[in-house]
Amino acid sequence: MTEPVYIAHHRASDGAWQSLESHLLGVATLARGFASKLHAGDIGELLGLLHDIGKYSREFQAYLKSATGALDQDADEDWVDSASLKGKVDHSTAGAQWIWQLLSQRGPQAQVLAQVAALCVASHHSGLIDCVSGDGRRFGDSLFLRRMDKPDQRTHLAEVLGSMDPSVRARCNELLSNTTLANELFALLSAIGNHRVGAQAVGGAVALQQMGLVVRFLFSCLIDADRIDTADFESPRGRCFRPIGAYGDWQHLIDRYEVRLAEWPVARPIDHLRRSISQACLDAAARPRGIYTLTVPTGGGKTLASLRYALHHAKARKLDRIVFVIPFTSISDQNAEVVRAVLEPEGDAPDAQRIVLEHHGSVTPERQTWREKILCENWDAPVVYTTMVQFLEALFGAGTRGARRMHQLANAVIVFDEIQTLPIRCVHLFNNAVNFLAERCNSTVVLCTATQPLLHTVKLEAGAMHLEPGHEIMDDVGALFTQLKRVDVRDARRPGGWSHSEIAELALQELQRTGSCLVIVNTKRSAQVLYELAAGALDADLLCHLSTDMCPAHRKHELQRVRDRLAAGLPTLCISTQLIEAGVDVDFRVVIRFLAGLDSIAQAAGRCNRNGRPEPGVLHIVNPDEESLRRLPDILQGRTVAEHVLGDYRDDPARYGNNHIGPQALQDYYRRYFYQRQSEMAYPIPTSQLGRDDTLLDLLSINELAVKECARQNGSAPPIPLRQAFMTAAEMFKAIDAPTQGIVVPYGPAGQELVNDLFAAYDLTREGDLLRRAQQFTVNVFPHVLRKLSEAKALKPAHDDLRITCLDPRFYSLRFGLSTEPVNRMETPIA
């Protein structure tokens, strides 16, 4: 194949070259389509054209051709030592500088466009850079302006402008001559700045955070377009699997849903209630786009009822996709499986296995190789199941992998299942982002739970949810809770608390009395202690243990074993951490819940008498005498507030409608809980992390302290409209959130086969399948656990290019999952 004059990429498999012109035009086309969802298609196209124009420099071409072997060290004078130059040849600044120099002096509207475009282009490999540095090492430095002033001998802008392909240069000039380009962006940002909720203007930090989200949205469009175009060149076979939003008609999926709904029996009183909840969701689907709540007691069939709403609403409002955001992977596993059974046909249908995308993490670290980027999911499916962690990463995380997905949240139905699990530190950031998606990105949001948090009642000036008037989908939530009350709550707290042996004895007594008992604890240690105590009195078949130390495949197996035993009426005792309490479909006669937040207690009750037997189930609330919650501050503070509400209930049950976990009790709980923790809702960053006390909300909006420091250093604040510390905020988000890393575990024959396949993998398309399989055999571990495993030599990289880490079989227990000490000493370690 003839080598182009200017190349963007080289394909190792057959030696083919992608011309720089082809790459820029291809990215521009994709980015235009993605950005059109924000009515910013011209800007998206411009970003695509500009992002890699730095590759027109002789320095970059020499670097790339030397790295691919197109230049010979002995024969070509342009040859360079590419290994020593890796990451040092700047090709991302030239396009940013050009747009900044062209427009920044043409008035405020053009300057806004110039900065937004320059930020996206300059950041497309690193993640969004700081405008004014919030990092302690360069605190107050105007990094954006410093980048724009980078000398020409390093950016090669003058050379680049003289070398650009005429078609690229002509299209850039055509777009830049369009006077509405800057006006449209300025109008969008002005609408955000002038937004009002009732009579109160939002403004301030809220508006500036949302303006930053505009930047991140356009950045997302550019990153995804760049990755797709690169992947399609480097691995053409993968192109046919990428729909890029070209899905079937919603009516086909609606028909499949309605046919299945008609088949489900309606025999018990609870079945009639579930059918009425489903009908209410269907009726609400005709409402305008906006932010709604779906408050339904546990066991009311929210999963399928919310899906019915989403399908019909997506059709009515011509939306692109449905995104379900789930708090835990265990719920994602379960709910995605239920929805697949309804929506995905078997056999040879054209859309078989192409409807539901389940994405709850990756086994690879954030720093990706180019091969990993090709395999990275970008939520390109009609129905997506993901986790709250992945959703927040798309909006606030570091690097480019998560940010790439953000634009897929536009023109969508987004259903937050079990919204009460939102981390308290993320409340304001989350509220502002969801408001942005609903008000600017044409999306509809549903907050779905039995324990609805009062997100609309927090401080408006920092970020409160903008619910629609008449936001609740159900007509009478109070009556619904009364109709679906199936459990007697027994407050068994006592002075001095319960020992673990006493709790185990209570569980054994209830198991003997009723035939099934679930114990939900707050810590993995408590789960293991109770399991060992019970194991001394019961056959192993009767016992089950669940925790996040077990991979999804392991948890699925154990949950299915539990369901099978319960369905067969066999005696069953399950000891679990809180992963089971939010949305997992199990039905025990008795639940024992360690004292925690009232929302957790209410969710635990949902695992009891789920299908409405005439005899009420029983939920015991116990307070353990020994429990370390040092690493679990949310549970600790929720427990404290719950003690106050439960104490008030003892004094005056009628005040709460004689229901420990009814709407009035939960509202009282959330009012107290949010009041006590309001100072934490802006995502505080301690001095130990940043060198000063600050918040993510401030870094992503006003960036007040850094701007003041910049003014002190330079005599005035930087003359730029956006001053956010995007990169510092993203890095702090990861640091404070104690990010986990996925470890592939050899659970069972399938897990061991997977590990062996990963070690032997060589073909890219096969590796894509392996990565998807690996999600079911992955345990996410925190840094301190990762360190212990490394010190014990329990980990081994599986592949040089795909940096996947596998666990030695000796460190995985069939009872408890991953262990930091050997538990299977007779197993052969990873070779």
Side-chain angles (χ1 to χ4, degrees), residues 82-96:
S82 59
S84 66
L85 292 174
K86 188 174 183 180
K88 298 178 182 178
V89 182
D90 184 351
H91 74 272
S92 58
T93 302

Side-chain angles (χ1 to χ4, degrees), residues 6 53-58 90 93-95 97-98 101 148 150-165 169:
Y6 296 102
I53 66 170
K55 290 184 177 181
Y56 280 108
S57 72
R58 182 175 177 179
D90 184 351
T93 302
Q97 281 185 329
W98 188 39
Q101 292 174 11
M148 294 305 98
K150 196 171 184 178
D152 187 79
Q153 61 264 32
R154 296 184 62 191
T155 67
H156 307 287
L157 177 58
E159 177 193 356
V160 162
L161 295 178
S163 303
M164 287 173 66
D165 284 288
R169 181 68 176 266

Side-chain angles (χ1 to χ4, degrees), residues 777-813:
F777 294 89
T778 298
V779 175
N780 293 312
V781 301
F782 287 95
H784 69 282
V785 176
L786 186 67
R787 184 172 59 253
K788 288 181 180 179
L789 291 171
S790 298
E791 291 169 354
K793 302 188 185 314
L795 305 174
K796 181 164 180 150
H799 200 283
D800 291 336
D801 288 333
L802 291 170
R803 288 169 291 166
I804 298 171
T805 302
C806 296
L807 183 72
D808 189 311
R810 295 175 297 175
F811 291 78
Y812 196 82
S813 163

